[in-house]
């Protein structure tokens, strides 16, 4: 392993950690602009996290050690996931240890620990949130795996950087199969990250919460870690989307450090556009009833399967 | 027998060359028989009744080992005795396995008895094993031996994994049962405080069963998904389009398994105790702990050292039908099943990475931001007086599954009206297959038996007459 | 996919869009949206015909495109919308049960159609022969749409969508049908829609609703039980 590879690996991780709250801030700004409100500061999520870290933690009387350990595990899983996704460079030596399916497994780990922590307190809200989150999860995971499958079929591998490199070198053209899978991926992104139309990230009504209900009991540094992990999850999903559907500009093996530096503003541009698009989708959609969420995810799965079938038939 | 000789030894059966239709019949009959023993749908109805009735260590043996003897039998018959399986045979265990996996896990999600939940989860895992078998037969039949070997290794690995994971979970439930006397999920809860050893060791089993890296459940799932991924090279048109959909069903079953495991662990060990008697529960004794510990260590080892396990399984598969998995020159900590496809997984590295990041985070937070911790009552939304009964019951946690997968269940609901003095809500979910397949068969057999009941006249003279007539007939035949 | 000409890529895109629209029609609840989706389907067919005409230089395809525009994009949706307004069913929704099951059936049907079309594609000599599978899939999906629906308007839309699929199949297999046949089919479809419109008024007169389940009471039953009107459902 060459030093430049270790450097890019660590850089990918640190950049994700640093940029994730900024991405959330940007999405909130776009949403505010679209809704004709004055926007909060771009750096507000950072200040929130800092403020939360500085507080004393209040933990429920019956919380077990699992409750206190879960935020660290969730955060760790998200951070390791960020190290596998080729956001700026495909030279990530750690991906030899974990391919795209292991990435999905990591996201599942985070989800399971979050749900267990929510069940730990034993109130109605936590268990309600856990139940709903697992429901969204078990429907979104096959859809996500199908999306990755289509990409893997086109590139004949399941290692995410190899997929990115393969797709980046494909002839530029219209691929209906990738278009369908892109739509499926966007829907899965909305569902897994608790955005409208599946869940409202700014709601305070407990009976409508999915993700927020699991964080109700957390405070101070634990909540800070959970919020950061949620921001990281959205950032990771966005980067997976770029790696699969907008793979150009990512520095590959054999490029010098100049390519790595050049990929950073390109990534920033992609994130800006993606954030704007996400804010637009959130603004024009209404939140679905909880039991319409399976239909939503079934449609996402259908799009992914259609993409697969169109690829097998048309070769496109 | 069709092969010509009347010897029932293995070597004779191997030597016999059967015509294709007889071989097919033999295969299907073997699948029926071994499938019933393994618990494939629709022959699974005995599993949820038998496994919970036994003491927990015996249930562990039943789920872990007894079901796998059926898998062994199936492998023996298909690859050893029948010789060269035809590729389309594989579609039958594939379809039946996928359906069993989905059926088992959907039913597991709605159970209220912890052992029945685990029994249905065994049905699911057996379904996945047979899916791998079907896939292996398809690959070997169309002449893709490397992928066939991969599928066989995946199913053998999963059998091994399941034995350890399920045993761990059953022993955990045994400890809970021994300590509290309760099997019903509606009367458990909050046991992580009273029984920490059992809880944390069962957590390892739960995470392994949910298929989370870096434990062992993930490895076999990963191998199975890898073999599905390359199924599109199969040269038959419908099949190469349907097989990736099979992968999606496997992924769905795996995700549902995670749901079921969260329910299992959460309702038993987390939350508040649902009965006051649970406060007297005691933790596991030394022997129980040893039993749990060695199984948990085995799960960890199977998860972290897949290359050694695959090395052992590889020779098994080669002996079975000569299919060999290509050797990769990779170090012990990196699993590369098919070297020409760039897919690899390294569990030890994975574990080290997660541990490092979690450790670094903990250290960082401790050093920079260590503030105090204060205990307080949980958030009650202003209601006050949240009781232990207000948390999710086992039925409640399974309600989304029941709602989404309604066609699978035969459900009876009693709903309260606004005018009830003592409103009650009752839901019973029953196995539709039991009601539509077995009960009619049972009543048919009963009717036939009743029709013959006239033979039982009750008078001694009549029975003597039967013996006399039989004696006359035999004498006439002999002479 | 290096070197595939742009026109062919666009045609593949049109084919994929057609498939998507058929699935959208399968799961669409509102009747007005169904008719709009049908119009969009006609539009995609128009674009595909124009592209094919430009690429192959066959002028009869331009005439065919004009016919498609006049009939499938403008006239038929207009007639259907007018019918909807006069029948007063603008806000009707179809009580679709089990969307996931329907979609699963749809996926299986598509796989069947694709597998079926592969040997046919091997025989055809056009550049768009891979899309024959999609055409067959559209036809079969429209059939499934007709089966799973209860409202009369939805059945008409399914029927018209089937015709669209056949048209696309003809285009991708043989670069269009002889003009006589095309005109004949177009006339048939137009007349069918007009006649069905008249029928719908009669059905509504008789049963006070356009729910086709009411037609079940027209089966052979004892005269004492004759045609008992079912409850009104919206």
């Amino acid at each position: 392993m060459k030093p430049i590879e270790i450097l890019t690996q660590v850089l990918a991780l640190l950049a994700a950690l640093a940029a994730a709250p900024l991405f959330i801030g940007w999405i909130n700004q776009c949403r505010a602009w679209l809704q004709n409100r004055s926007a909060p500061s771009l750096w507000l999520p950072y200040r929130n996290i800092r403020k939360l870290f500085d507080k004393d933690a209040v933990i429920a009387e019956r919380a077990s050690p699992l409750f206190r350990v879960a935020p660290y595990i969730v955060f760790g899983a998200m951070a390791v996931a960020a190290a596998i996704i080729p956001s700026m460079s495909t030279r990530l030596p750690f991906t030899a240890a974990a391919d795209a399916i292991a990435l999905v497994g990591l996201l599942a780990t985070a989800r399971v620990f979050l749900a267990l922590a929510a069940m730990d307190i034993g109130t109605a809200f936590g268990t309600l949130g856990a139940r709903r989150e697992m429901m969204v999860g078990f429907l979104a995971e096959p859809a996500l795996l199908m999306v990755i499958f289509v990409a893997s079929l086109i590139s004949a591998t399941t290692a995410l950087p190899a997929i990115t490199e393969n797709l980046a070198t494909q002839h530029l053209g219209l691929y209906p199969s990738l278009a369908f899978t892109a739509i499926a991926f966007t829907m899965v992104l909305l569902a897994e990250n608790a955005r409208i139309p599946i869940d409202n990230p700014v709601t305070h009504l407990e009976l409508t919460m999915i993700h927020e209900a699991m964080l109700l009991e957390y405070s101070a540094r634990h909540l800070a870690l959970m919020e950061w992990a949620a921001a990281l999850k959205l950032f990771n999903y966005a980067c997976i989307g770029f790696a699969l559907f907008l793979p150009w500009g990512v520095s590959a093996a054999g490029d010098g450090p100049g390519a790595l530096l050049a990929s950073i503003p390109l990534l920033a541009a992609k994130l800006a556009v993606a954030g704007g698009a996400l804010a637009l989708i959130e603004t024009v959609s209404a939140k679905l009833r909880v039991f319409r969420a399976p239909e939503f995810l079934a449609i996402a799965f259908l799009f992914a399967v259609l993409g697969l079938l169109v690829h097998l038939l048309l070769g496109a | 027998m069709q092969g010509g000789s009347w010897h029932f030894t293995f070597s004779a059966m191997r030597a016999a060359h059967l015509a294709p239709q007889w071989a097919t019949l033999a295969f299907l009959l073997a699948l029926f028989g071994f499938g019933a023993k393994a618990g494939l749908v629709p022959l699974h109805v005995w599993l949820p009744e038998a496994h919970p009735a036994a003491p927990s260590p015996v249930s562990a043996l039943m789920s872990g080992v007894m079901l796998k003897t059926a898998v062994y039998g199936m492998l023996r018959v298909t690859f050893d005795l029948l010789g060269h399986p035809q590729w389309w045979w594989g579609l039958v265990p594939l379809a039946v396995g996928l359906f069993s996996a989905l059926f088992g896990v959907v039913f597991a999600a709605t159970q209220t008895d912890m052992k029945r939940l685990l029994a249905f989860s065994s049905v699911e895992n057996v379904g996945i094993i047979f899916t791998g078998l079907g896939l292996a037969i398809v690959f070997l039949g169309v002449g893709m031996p490397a992928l066939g070997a991969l599928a066989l290794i995946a199913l053998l690995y999963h059998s091994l994994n399941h034995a350890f994971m399920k045993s761990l979970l059953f022993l955990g439930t045994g400890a809970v049962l021994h300590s509290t006397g309760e099997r019903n999920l509606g009367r458990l809860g909050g046991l992580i405080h009273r029984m920490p050893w059992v809880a944390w060791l069962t957590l390892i089993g739960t995470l392994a069963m949910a298929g989370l890296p870096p434990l062992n459940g993930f490895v076999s799932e990963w191998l199975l998904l890898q073999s599905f991924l390359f199924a599109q090279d199969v040269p038959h048109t419908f099949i190469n389009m349907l097989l990736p959909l099979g992968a999606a069903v496997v992924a769905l079953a795996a995700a549902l398994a995670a749901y079921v495991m969260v329910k299992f662990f959460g309702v038993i060990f987390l939350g508040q105790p649902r009965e006051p008697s649970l406060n007297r529960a005691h933790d596991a004794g030394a022997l129980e702990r040893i039993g749990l510990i060695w199984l948990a260590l085995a799960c960890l080892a199977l998860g972290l050292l897949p290359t050694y396990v695959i090395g052992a399984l590889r020779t098994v598969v080669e002996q079975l039908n000569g299919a060999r998995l290509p050797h990769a020159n990779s170090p012990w900590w990196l699993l590369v099943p098919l070297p020409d496809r760039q897919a690899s997984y390294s569990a030890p590295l994975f574990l080290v990475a997660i541990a490092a990041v979690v450790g670094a985070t903990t250290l960082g937070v401790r050093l920079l931001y260590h503030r105090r911790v204060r205990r307080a009552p949980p958030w009650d939304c202003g209601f006050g007086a949240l009781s232990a009964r207000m948390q999710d019951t086992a039925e409640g946690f399974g309600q989304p599954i029941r709602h989404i997968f309604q066609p699978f269940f035969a459900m009876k609901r009693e709903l309260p009206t606004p005018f009830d003095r003592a409103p009650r809500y009752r839901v019973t979910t029953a196995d539709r297959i039991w009601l539509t397949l077995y009960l009619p068969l049972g009543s048919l057999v009963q009717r036939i038996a009743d029709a013959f009941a006239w033979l039982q006249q009750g008078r001694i003279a009549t029975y003597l007459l039967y013996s006399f007539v039989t004696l006359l007939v035999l004498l006439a035949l002999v002479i | 996919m290096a070197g595939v000409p742009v026109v062919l890529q666009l045609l593949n895109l049109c084919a994929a869009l057609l498939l998507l629209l058929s699935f959208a029609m399968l799961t669409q609840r509102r009747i007005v949206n169904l008719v709009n989706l049908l119009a969009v389907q006609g539009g995609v067919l128009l674009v595909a015909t124009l592209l094919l005409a430009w690429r192959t230089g066959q002028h009869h395809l331009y005439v065919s495109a004009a016919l498609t525009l006049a009939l499938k994009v403008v006239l038929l949706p207009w007639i259907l919308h007018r019918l909807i307004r006069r029948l007063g069913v603008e806000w009707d929704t179809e009580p679709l049960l089990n969307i996931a099951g329907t979609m699963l059936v749809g996926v299986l049907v598509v796989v069947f159609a694709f597998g079926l079309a592969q040997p046919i594609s091997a025989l055809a000599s056009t550049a768009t022969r891979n899309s024959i599978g999609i055409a067959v899939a559209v036809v079969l999906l429209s059939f499934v749409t007709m089966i799973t629906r209860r409202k009369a308007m939805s059945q008409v839309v399914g029927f018209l969508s089937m015709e669209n699929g056949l048209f696309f199949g003809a285009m991708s297999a043989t670069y269009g049908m002889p003009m006589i046949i095309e005109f004949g089919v177009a006339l048939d479809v137009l007349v069918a829609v007009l006649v069905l419109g008249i029928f719908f008024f009669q059905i509504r007169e008789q049963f006070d609703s356009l729910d086709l389940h009411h037609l079940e009471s027209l089966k052979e039953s004892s005269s004492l039980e004759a045609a008992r009107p079912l409850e009104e459902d919206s």
Side-chain angles (χ1 to χ4, degrees):
Chain A
M1 261 197 311
K2 301 194 288 270
I4 183 117
E5 292 188 350
I6 304 181
L7 181 67
T8 50
Q9 179 77 76
V10 174
L11 193 63
L13 178 59
L14 292 177
L17 286 179
L22 184 60
F23 189 47
I24 297 276
W26 168 247
I27 294 180
N28 289 338
Q29 267 223 330
C30 291
R31 247 215 323 236
W33 285 335
L34 284 168
Q35 292 169 0
N36 213 9
R37 294 185 273 129
S38 61
S41 154
L42 261 180
W43 313 103
L44 188 61
Y46 290 105
R47 293 211 288 264
N48 267 339
I49 294 180
R50 169 74 188 266
K51 172 186 76 168
L52 284 171
F53 268 123
D54 265 335
K55 290 189 168 191
D56 288 346
V58 178
I59 299 185
E61 288 156 340
R62 333 175 241 280
S64 67
L66 182 66
F67 184 80
R68 295 176 71 164
V69 152
Y72 295 97
I73 297 185
V74 171
F75 183 79
M78 287 305 160
V80 172
I84 309 180
I85 302 174
S87 47
M88 291 182 295
S89 162
T90 57
R91 266 187 299 183
L92 301 169
F94 185 63
T95 53
D99 65 344
I101 304 180
L103 177 64
V104 175
L106 258 180
L107 296 170
T109 309
R111 191 189 321 129
V112 164
F113 269 98
L114 200 52
L116 285 177
M119 292 190 81
D120 192 39
I121 304 300
T123 58
F125 306 117
T127 49
L128 184 72
R131 185 207 314 170
R132 288 177 177 174
E133 171 80 8
M134 293 307 290
M135 177 183 80
V136 169
F138 86 72
L139 291 167
E141 208 175 286
L144 185 60
L145 266 168
M146 281 308 276
V147 168
I148 290 180
F149 258 41
V150 175
S152 303
L153 281 178
I154 298 181
S155 333
T157 169
T158 54
L160 207 49
I163 295 179
T164 308
E165 279 185 13
N166 186 300
L167 289 175
T169 56
Q170 295 263 1
H171 194 78
L172 202 62
L174 293 165
Y175 289 87
S177 57
L178 283 178
F180 285 163
T181 29
I183 297 176
F185 183 78
T186 312
M187 293 170 88
V188 169
L189 188 151
L190 291 171
E192 285 265 331
N193 290 290
R195 316 300 297 182
I196 297 179
I198 299 288
D199 184 20
N200 190 347
V202 298
T203 184
H204 54 275
L205 303 168
E206 288 88 348
L207 289 178
T208 64
M209 289 177 180
I210 299 182
H211 178 81
E212 292 296 313
M214 299 190 290
L215 303 182
L216 272 179
E217 293 298 328
Y218 279 117
S219 58
R221 55 181 183 272
H222 304 121
L223 184 59
L225 283 173
M226 285 294 205
E227 294 278 347
W228 205 347
L232 259 179
K233 187 172 180 178
L234 185 57
F235 185 87
N236 285 340
Y237 264 89
C239 288
I240 297 177
F242 298 149
L244 293 177
F245 306 113
L246 297 173
W248 310 286
V250 178
S251 83
D255 295 347
L260 185 62
L261 285 174
S263 66
I264 297 181
L266 197 55
L267 179 67
K270 289 186 205 172
L271 282 170
V273 171
L278 199 58
L280 183 64
I281 297 176
E282 287 209 271
T283 312
V284 302
S285 320
K287 182 174 165 330
L288 292 171
R289 288 170 48 195
V290 168
F291 279 115
R292 292 265 196 247
E295 281 175 22
F296 182 82
L297 287 165
I299 293 179
F301 181 73
L302 179 75
F303 268 99
V305 170
L306 272 183
L308 173 75
L309 291 174
V310 167
H311 169 71
L312 286 175
L313 182 74
L314 294 177
Chain B
M1 282 194 297
Q2 231 7 64
S5 74
W6 281 78
H7 298 284
F8 286 112
T9 60
F10 275 179
S11 45
M13 285 200 206
R14 240 175 255 136
H17 290 288
L18 296 176
Q21 56 269 32
W22 289 110
T24 310
L25 187 61
F27 176 79
L28 289 174
L29 287 174
L31 184 63
F32 189 87
F34 287 116
K37 182 162 176 55
L40 285 181
V41 172
L43 305 163
H44 66 286
V45 284
W46 61 273
L47 233 169
E49 314 292 333
H51 280 68
S56 305
V58 179
S59 301
L61 268 179
M62 286 171 82
S63 268
V65 178
M66 200 183 79
L67 300 181
K68 310 309 184 316
T69 53
V71 175
Y72 165 74
M74 197 69 217
L75 284 174
R76 199 40 112 171
V77 168
T78 314
F79 294 110
D80 196 16
L81 299 179
L82 283 177
H84 303 283
Q86 305 189 28
W87 73 268
W88 57 267
W89 288 358
L91 297 179
V92 181
L94 190 69
V96 174
L98 284 175
F99 187 68
S100 303
L102 202 56
F103 189 91
V105 75
V106 162
F107 264 84
T110 58
Q111 295 304 313
T112 54
D113 178 326
M114 55 184 178
K115 283 184 154 186
R116 266 179 88 97
L117 189 149
L118 292 179
F120 272 112
S121 167
S122 291
V123 171
E124 179 227 339
N125 282 290
V126 159
I128 292 186
I129 292 175
F130 272 82
T131 306
L133 176 70
L135 203 60
I137 297 178
V138 169
F139 282 143
L140 289 167
V142 300
M144 298 162 76
L147 284 175
L150 182 64
L152 273 174
I153 289 183
L155 86 91
L156 287 173
Y157 208 129
H158 196 79
S159 312
L160 198 59
N161 283 342
H162 180 240
F164 283 100
M165 302 189 292
K166 202 35 87 56
S167 307
L168 180 57
L169 288 177
F170 263 117
L171 287 190
T173 60
V176 168
L177 187 56
H178 175 81
S179 156
T180 63
E182 286 294 345
R183 253 170 60 178
N184 190 338
L185 285 171
R187 286 200 271 273
L188 293 167
L191 288 173
I192 194 170
H193 302 284
R194 309 290 317 172
M195 308 171 67
W197 277 90
V198 175
W200 288 98
L201 289 168
T202 315
L203 181 64
I204 296 184
T206 311
L207 295 177
M209 195 65 126
L212 301 179
L215 292 169
N216 52 354
F218 179 72
V219 179
S220 49
E221 250 174 58
W222 188 79
L223 288 171
L224 190 62
L225 283 175
Q226 288 285 335
S227 36
F228 260 112
L229 184 61
F230 302 116
Q232 43 123 10
D233 295 331
V234 170
H236 296 270
T237 43
F238 288 110
I239 308 305
N240 68 356
M241 283 195 253
L242 281 175
L243 281 178
L245 295 184
V249 178
V250 169
L252 182 64
L256 273 169
Y259 187 105
V260 169
M261 283 303 123
V262 167
K263 166 178 164 162
F264 173 77
F265 192 78
V267 173
I268 296 180
F269 291 105
L270 300 176
Q272 305 178 51
R274 289 180 180 81
E275 291 280 321
S277 59
L278 292 173
N279 287 321
R280 291 192 305 261
H282 59 86
D283 203 356
L287 279 180
E288 283 178 336
R289 281 184 212 178
I290 292 179
L292 290 169
I293 286 177
W294 88 268
L295 284 171
L297 285 177
C299 285
L300 268 173
L302 284 173
L304 290 178
L305 304 170
T307 41
Y308 293 106
V309 182
I310 291 189
L313 292 176
R314 189 195 294 251
T315 46
V316 171
V317 169
E318 268 185 56
Q319 281 176 2
L320 191 58
N321 53 12
R324 42 181 36 233
L325 201 61
H327 264 282
N329 284 332
S330 54
W332 67 271
W333 41 265
L334 190 64
L335 171 63
V336 184
L338 297 165
D340 53 334
R341 322 261 190 175
Q342 274 175 293
S344 59
Y345 170 64
S346 167
L349 216 58
F350 202 91
L351 184 62
V352 165
I354 293 198
V357 173
V358 171
T361 317
T362 319
L363 213 59
V365 168
R366 284 251 133 183
L367 287 174
L368 296 172
Y369 288 115
H370 191 58
R371 304 284 180 264
R372 295 168 304 173
V373 167
R374 187 161 58 90
R375 293 273 175 169
W379 171 249
D380 57 8
C381 198
F383 282 134
L386 283 183
S387 73
R389 283 270 152 224
M390 290 191 193
Q391 45 179 351
D392 252 7
T393 56
E395 298 93 338
F397 207 85
Q399 187 254 356
I401 308 289
R402 218 173 49 227
H403 182 97
I404 296 173
F405 289 100
Q406 234 162 5
F408 280 70
F409 299 102
M411 208 160 57
K412 274 203 297 278
R413 292 210 298 181
E414 281 176 36
L415 296 172
T417 66
F419 307 106
D420 280 342
R421 294 218 144 262
R424 51 185 250 142
Y425 171 79
R426 193 187 182 82
V427 60
T428 41
T429 53
D431 193 344
R432 217 185 258 277
I433 294 187
W434 176 255
L435 294 173
T436 55
L437 192 60
Y438 289 89
L439 283 183
L441 266 179
S443 58
L444 182 68
V445 171
Q446 185 73 27
R447 277 201 302 269
I448 295 180
D450 284 340
F452 277 99
W454 67 269
L455 278 175
Q456 205 177 23
Q457 295 287 347
R459 291 169 54 193
I460 295 187
T462 324
Y463 296 148
L464 286 174
L465 183 64
Y466 291 155
S467 315
F468 184 62
V469 169
T470 316
L471 185 61
L472 288 178
V473 167
L474 284 176
L475 286 172
L477 278 179
V478 167
I479 304 176
Chain C
M1 245 187 77
V4 175
V6 182
V7 178
L8 207 55
Q9 286 185 23
L10 285 171
L11 280 168
N12 281 340
L13 186 65
C14 288
L17 276 176
L18 269 180
L19 191 61
L20 186 64
L21 284 168
S22 320
F23 263 105
M25 281 202 271
L26 193 61
T27 58
Q28 180 58 243
R29 282 191 167 90
R30 293 187 56 205
I31 296 189
V32 174
N33 285 348
L34 265 181
V35 177
N36 291 338
L37 281 174
L38 188 68
V40 174
Q41 209 180 38
V44 171
L45 273 179
L46 173 70
V47 168
T49 318
L50 282 174
L51 281 172
L52 204 57
W54 183 48
R55 187 174 190 272
T56 58
Q58 299 194 19
H59 293 283
H60 75 87
L61 281 175
Y62 284 114
V63 180
S64 183
L67 190 62
T68 308
L69 175 66
L71 193 65
K72 296 199 172 101
V73 182
V74 176
L75 192 59
L76 281 175
W78 181 73
I79 294 180
L80 288 173
H81 273 300
R82 227 178 65 130
L83 203 54
I84 289 176
R85 266 199 307 275
R86 288 183 57 188
L87 287 168
V89 292
E90 276 163 331
W91 299 110
D92 263 16
T93 52
E94 183 86 42
L96 281 176
L97 330 136
N98 204 358
I99 283 198
T102 320
M103 283 204 284
L104 184 65
V105 170
V107 166
L108 291 175
V109 160
V110 168
V111 171
F112 178 73
F114 282 8
L116 196 66
Q118 295 244 6
I120 306 179
S121 302
L123 289 172
S125 58
T126 59
T128 52
R129 57 179 172 273
N130 286 334
S131 324
I132 295 180
I134 291 190
V136 177
V138 168
V139 170
L140 292 178
L141 279 173
S142 323
F143 219 132
V144 175
T145 313
M146 283 175 71
I147 294 174
T148 55
R149 300 265 165 173
R150 287 169 59 176
K151 298 282 180 184
M153 287 307 299
S154 329
Q155 306 256 350
V156 175
V157 170
F159 168 70
L160 292 173
S161 163
M162 215 191 302
E163 205 270 323
N164 283 349
L166 286 170
F167 179 76
F168 186 69
M171 246 184 35
S172 35
T174 55
Y175 289 152
M177 307 179 269
M179 284 321 287
I180 290 282
I181 299 186
E182 274 206 43
F183 275 114
V185 171
L187 188 63
D188 278 340
V189 166
L190 193 57
V191 169
V193 170
L194 291 171
V195 170
L196 282 169
I198 299 176
F199 260 116
F200 289 164
F201 278 105
Q202 289 300 319
I203 293 177
R204 208 194 34 177
E205 283 272 320
Q206 178 72 19
F207 296 108
D208 225 358
S209 134
L210 276 180
D211 190 328
L212 289 177
H213 277 197
H214 291 232
L215 287 174
E216 287 172 25
S217 60
L218 295 172
K219 16 178 216 226
E220 281 286 318
S221 50
S222 74
S223 51
L224 291 171
E225 281 201 53
R228 201 175 41 202
L230 300 168
E231 302 146 41
E232 174 76 7
D233 30 21
S234 53

